[in-house]
Amino acid sequence: MKKALITGITGQDGSYLADLLLEKGYEVYGMVRRSSTETFERISHLIDRVHLMQADLLDELSLIRLVESIGPDEVYNLAAMSFVPTSWSQPVLTGEFTAIGVTRVLEALRIAQPKARFYQASSSEMFGMVREVPQTELTPFHPRSPYGVAKVYGHYITVNYRESYDLFAVSGILFNHESPRRGKEFVTRKITDGVARIKTGRATELRLGNLDAERDWGFAGDYVEAMWRMLQADAPRDYVVATGETHSVREFCELAFGHVGLDWEQYVRVDSSLVRPAEVDQLLGDATRAETELGWRRRVDFPGLVRMMVDADLARYQGGGAV
């Protein structure tokens, strides 16, 4: 039985990846930080099937001890300060977690488990002010937020450890991927939760920032399979994971409100305070390498993703469950 360690297991991607690895027969370990409030909602359905262990990306010794105690075959580093707007208000902390934290994990592996295969969660936000459309593994980076800058560091330190220490270390440059498990602070979930609240009479409007921002949106459940496939490959390479389609926030609103029979223009209000200091206007990925070399394919299309998220939020409110 293979052992896998997931940092960030309580997040959206971590929870879907844990589901996938358990299905494949892995023994799954999840790293969690010591906190006064436990947020295990996304993994509540599998809490008895995974091993949760305490360590912290800010504490290298805790990471070394964690790796020594588990002896993992695969390590997926999904933990980060991942909400882009917050990276402007907490840029130093973002750098500590999202950039230097990657180095600490790699050092722990180099010291304690150099044969383990390592996955780093890179991001399309690294492309920022894009130099070409669509973006591939060879497109230059121009990040437009402290988060994007930190992710570039994490990406290149992974490349550096691969080339310097012969570690099986890869980065997945994942474009935006959403799901019903997405945090409400992210615009997609903010929209679907807002639609559900308005439809059930709990709200009368939804305030958003830049409606013209365009993203390449896919389903998180599809994207974690690409992570796994990268670590099964014969040789370590970095891969873009994307749908190859771009849609605007405005389009997302149209589909989400339309799914419940509402006209989005009657409820959405533009709030200039929600616009980023430096916007990333269009991200569009080319996943040809992942499709040809890894055999990866997405299963959920954009309209299906929007409907899935709206239906899940409606069910939460109508069922009286936790929201």
Side-chain angles (χ1 to χ4, degrees):
M1 180 183 291
K2 280 188 177 181
K3 295 180 181 179
L5 169 62
I6 304 171
T7 74
I9 193 171
T10 60
Q12 170 189 255
D13 292 6
S15 66
Y16 278 110
L17 179 60
D19 286 336
L20 177 71
L21 295 178
L22 287 169
E23 288 175 10
K24 293 184 178 297
Y26 281 67
E27 187 173 358
V28 177
Y29 293 80
M31 189 189 90
V32 295
R33 298 180 68 205
R34 175 71 179 91
S35 175
S36 57
T37 57
E38 294 185 342
T39 54
F40 297 156
E41 178 186 350
R42 294 185 183 93
I43 58 170
S44 59
H45 62 291
L46 48 77
I47 199 75
D48 296 329
R49 301 172 61 202
V50 299
H51 308 279
L52 299 182
M53 305 183 70
Q54 288 187 4
D56 197 313
L57 288 182
L58 303 185
D59 184 349
E60 185 175 334
L61 183 57
S62 73
L63 296 171
I64 294 172
R65 288 172 173 167
L66 178 67
V67 171
E68 285 177 337
S69 66
I70 298 171
D73 300 288
E74 298 173 4
V75 177
Y76 298 84
N77 184 40
L78 310 184
M81 203 302 297
S82 61
F83 186 47
V84 175
T86 301
S87 73
W88 274 285
S89 60
Q90 299 182 34
V92 176
L93 187 63
T94 298
E96 284 288 348
F97 276 116
T98 309
I100 305 300
V102 183
T103 312
R104 296 189 183 104
V105 177
L106 285 165
E107 271 293 281
L109 291 180
R110 184 183 69 83
I111 293 167
Q113 188 75 353
K115 296 301 182 183
R117 296 191 168 199
F118 174 77
Y119 172 85
Q120 165 59 16
S122 288
S123 168
S124 59
E125 288 285 333
M126 300 188 304
F127 295 119
M129 186 181 289
V130 298
R131 308 290 182 87
E132 62 183 7
V133 178
Q135 293 90 53
T136 73
E137 293 83 0
L138 301 179
T139 302
F141 299 137
H142 188 147
R144 297 268 283 170
S145 67
Y147 170 80
V149 172
K151 279 294 186 182
V152 170
Y153 177 99
H155 179 86
Y156 277 126
I157 199 66
T158 301
V159 173
N160 184 257
Y161 269 66
R162 178 170 71 221
E163 295 176 351
S164 301
Y165 301 113
D166 198 30
L167 297 182
F168 194 108
V170 305
S171 288
I173 307 173
L174 271 58
F175 280 63
N176 293 66
H177 44 289
E178 319 298 318
S179 76
R181 301 180 192 176
R182 191 58 140 155
K184 291 183 188 177
E185 68 272 24
F186 292 88
V187 67
T188 51
R189 182 72 195 290
K190 184 176 181 181
I191 292 170
T192 61
D193 180 73
V195 167
R197 288 174 60 83
I198 291 169
K199 184 65 176 179
T200 57
R202 291 172 169 81
T204 58
E205 68 174 21
L206 174 62
R207 305 185 77 81
L208 298 172
N210 182 11
L211 299 181
D212 296 318
E214 295 183 357
R215 294 291 185 272
D216 184 329
W217 277 304
F219 172 49
D222 290 342
Y223 283 34
V224 297
E225 183 187 340
M227 300 177 188
W228 175 78
R229 284 176 178 263
M230 288 179 210
L231 294 196
Q232 314 314 307
D234 293 334
R237 292 194 79 183
D238 303 326
Y239 293 89
V240 163
V241 180
T243 70
E245 299 177 4
T246 185
H247 300 277
S248 67
V249 175
R250 190 186 311 275
E251 287 178 76
F252 201 107
C253 287
E254 290 174 357
L255 276 175
F257 279 90
H259 184 53
V260 297
L262 297 177
D263 179 0
W264 72 276
E265 292 183 297
Q266 294 183 19
Y267 302 98
V268 173
R269 306 288 180 265
V270 174
D271 185 341
S272 60
S273 70
L274 299 176
V275 177
R276 294 182 182 185
E279 183 59 88
V280 175
D281 293 316
Q282 185 187 51
L283 293 174
L284 176 62
D286 180 352
T288 299
R289 178 188 288 183
E291 291 169 352
T292 56
E293 295 185 9
L294 302 178
W296 175 80
R297 296 288 187 278
R298 70 159 179 175
R299 295 182 175 87
V300 179
D301 62 10
F302 179 67
L305 173 65
V306 177
R307 291 193 298 267
M308 175 200 302
M309 294 177 66
V310 171
D311 287 344
D313 278 321
L314 269 177
R316 287 187 179 99
Y317 284 108
Q318 293 172 343
V323 179

